[in-house]
Amino acid sequence: FFLSLKLEKKTKGKLQKQICQVVLDHFEKQYTAELGDAWSSVRDVLTSPWCWQHALLLNRFSQCPGLESSLAEQGYHPAFPAALPYLPAAFRCYTRTAPGRFPAQKHQPGKLKEYYLLNAASLLPVLALEVKDGEDVLDLCAAPGGKSVAILQCACPGHFRCNEYDDLRSRWLEQTIESFIPNPLMNLIMVSKMDGRQIGDLQPEFYDKVLVDAPCSNDRSWLFSADPQQAVLRLLQRKELSSLQFQLLRSAVKALRPGGSLVYSTCTLSKAENSEVINLILNSCRNVMPVDISEMARGVSQEFTFLSGTQHHELLVLPEKGRAWGPMYVAKLKKMSST
């Protein structure tokens, strides 16, 4: 026990040093204004990586006898209750309140991984999307691939385009899909490297469901930017992100069939990249309506802490000790028929 305490102190010291003060000061100012009292407990979690938690999404394409009982022995429990409006039987995710991380599995060509380690809140956009078998689905900004893999745990799309513009991230996405998805299913999946802002014009009204997990200012990783100069540059560029997010969303709306739905998500707390982008789309696209996701939020309120006072079509997961998931913003929209 003393050894682990000593180790923890050592890790604390090491990680504490890496917090980027420029970013923390910036967040301090912005999020005190935007989140009020909620910010101080969120800040405590974001700046303490030793209290972060990891969830395991089991891979339905890779049988692993004994994994679930071994997880139960280690204090893990199924994260999402059966009472959710949308929870496919094959979708299994495990979490526990204790921090720490289950060992990651290495990529081995030709061998499927048994589980994917992730922040449990990042599964909420997938559950909000409610993909059904045979639907045509677009994951517009898909790397590193966790949400694409999660969608395939839920249903078998008719056609599934996983798009990633960035070259390096696109290779990462391909490797993730190879690690989790068996060959026969690969025929349904198309990995593309297009500028997401153009897909709507190139494939108008082609998809039933679109996920826009937009490039955003990633609060968790930005706090630990090792290089202060890079951090300053990121903070300057932060102002331009909402315009990119809006353009991606507009492209996604064009790519949707009338009656189709779209989920927008980010892993930032920033209002400018979250509700303000959604409001801009709702105000500028007459054929788009908000979709109520409050029932899903209520269904998972045991596992996640949400910011109060958001609209029915959106939610914001706030990290909290013992429930250190998020930040994760999720909003759902629907395209009306053109008549």
Side-chain angles (χ1 to χ4, degrees), residues 301-313:
S301 57
Q302 291 298 303
E303 196 77 50
F304 301 100
T305 303
F306 297 110
L307 178 69
S308 57
T310 54
Q311 304 285 314
H312 286 321
H313 61 272

Side-chain angles (χ1 to χ4, degrees), residues 4-309:
S4 68
L5 200 67
K6 223 163 150 182
L7 271 173
E8 193 185 342
K9 275 197 173 140
K10 206 169 155 189
T11 342
K12 275 191 184 178
K14 216 160 93 187
L15 291 164
Q16 202 62 46
K17 274 206 258 325
Q18 295 172 351
I19 288 174
C20 183
Q21 201 54 47
V22 189
V23 175
L24 186 57
D25 293 346
H26 177 88
F27 284 0
E28 198 69 57
K29 214 159 117 184
Q30 180 182 350
Y31 293 148
T32 302
E34 290 182 12
L35 303 173
D37 298 342
W39 167 240
S40 65
S41 59
V42 170
R43 181 193 53 213
D44 289 350
V45 173
L46 289 182
T47 53
S48 320
W50 57 90
C51 78
W52 294 2
Q53 292 152 271
H54 292 83
L56 282 91
L57 175 66
L58 303 198
N59 185 9
R60 67 169 168 147
F61 305 113
S62 166
Q63 296 312 312
C64 183
L67 177 60
E68 287 179 84
S69 51
S70 141
L71 286 170
E73 280 162 25
Q74 294 178 54
Y76 283 86
H77 60 271
F80 296 100
L84 281 185
Y86 172 83
L87 191 76
F91 185 89
R92 288 166 308 160
C93 172
Y94 282 81
T95 56
R96 61 173 184 185
T97 44
R101 179 184 183 129
F102 208 72
Q105 293 183 313
K106 290 216 173 356
H107 174 68
Q108 293 174 283
K111 189 175 189 302
L112 293 182
K113 291 186 181 182
E114 288 144 6
Y115 54 84
Y116 191 95
L117 289 177
L118 77 183
N119 181 322
S122 65
L123 294 170
L124 293 174
V126 172
L127 293 177
L129 196 60
E130 301 192 14
V131 175
K132 312 271 194 305
D133 285 346
E135 288 182 326
D136 295 322
V137 182
L138 166 64
D139 187 351
L140 195 65
C141 318
K147 292 182 182 69
S148 297
V149 164
I151 285 170
L152 290 161
Q153 301 306 315
C154 294
C156 196
H159 169 84
F160 188 19
R161 179 191 282 264
C162 304
N163 184 68
E164 179 53 54
Y165 187 45
D166 181 90
D167 220 29
L168 197 68
R169 287 173 62 82
S170 176
R171 285 207 289 279
W172 189 7
L173 168 67
E174 282 178 351
Q175 193 179 73
T176 302
I177 289 173
E178 257 170 52
S179 297
F180 286 91
I181 308 306
N183 271 333
L185 264 186
M186 289 293 199
N187 306 332
L188 310 173
I189 304 167
M190 178 186 180
V191 176
S192 63
K193 283 197 285 200
M194 292 164 71
D195 182 335
R197 293 170 292 191
Q198 296 166 355
I199 287 184
D201 287 326
L202 295 167
Q203 291 190 298
E205 305 200 338
F206 189 84
Y207 295 97
D208 301 297
K209 302 278 163 77
V210 180
L211 174 63
V212 184
D213 185 41
C216 67
S217 45
N218 183 325
D219 296 350
R220 276 187 191 236
S221 67
W222 280 27
L223 270 170
F224 295 89
S225 315
D227 174 0
Q229 263 117 4
Q230 182 201 27
V232 171
L233 189 65
R234 274 178 167 172
L235 291 172
L236 284 170
Q237 291 169 336
R238 191 176 200 197
K239 295 182 183 70
E240 294 156 29
L241 276 169
S242 52
S243 141
L244 168 65
Q245 291 154 347
F246 173 72
Q247 290 167 3
L248 288 167
L249 259 177
R250 209 170 42 187
S251 171
V253 170
K254 285 181 185 170
L256 262 188
R257 290 189 178 125
S261 48
L262 171 164
V263 168
Y264 173 76
S265 61
T266 72
C267 51
T268 180
L269 299 159
S270 173
K271 228 178 212 167
E273 298 176 51
N274 294 341
S275 49
E276 287 177 17
V277 174
I278 290 296
N279 291 340
L280 203 55
I281 274 288
L282 287 170
N283 292 330
S284 62
C285 297
R286 286 232 173 100
N287 57 346
V288 171
M289 295 285 293
V291 177
D292 188 342
I293 54 171
S294 55
E295 197 189 335
M296 178 185 82
R298 273 194 304 277
V300 295
S301 57
Q302 291 298 303
E303 196 77 50
F304 301 100
T305 303
F306 297 110
L307 178 69
S308 57

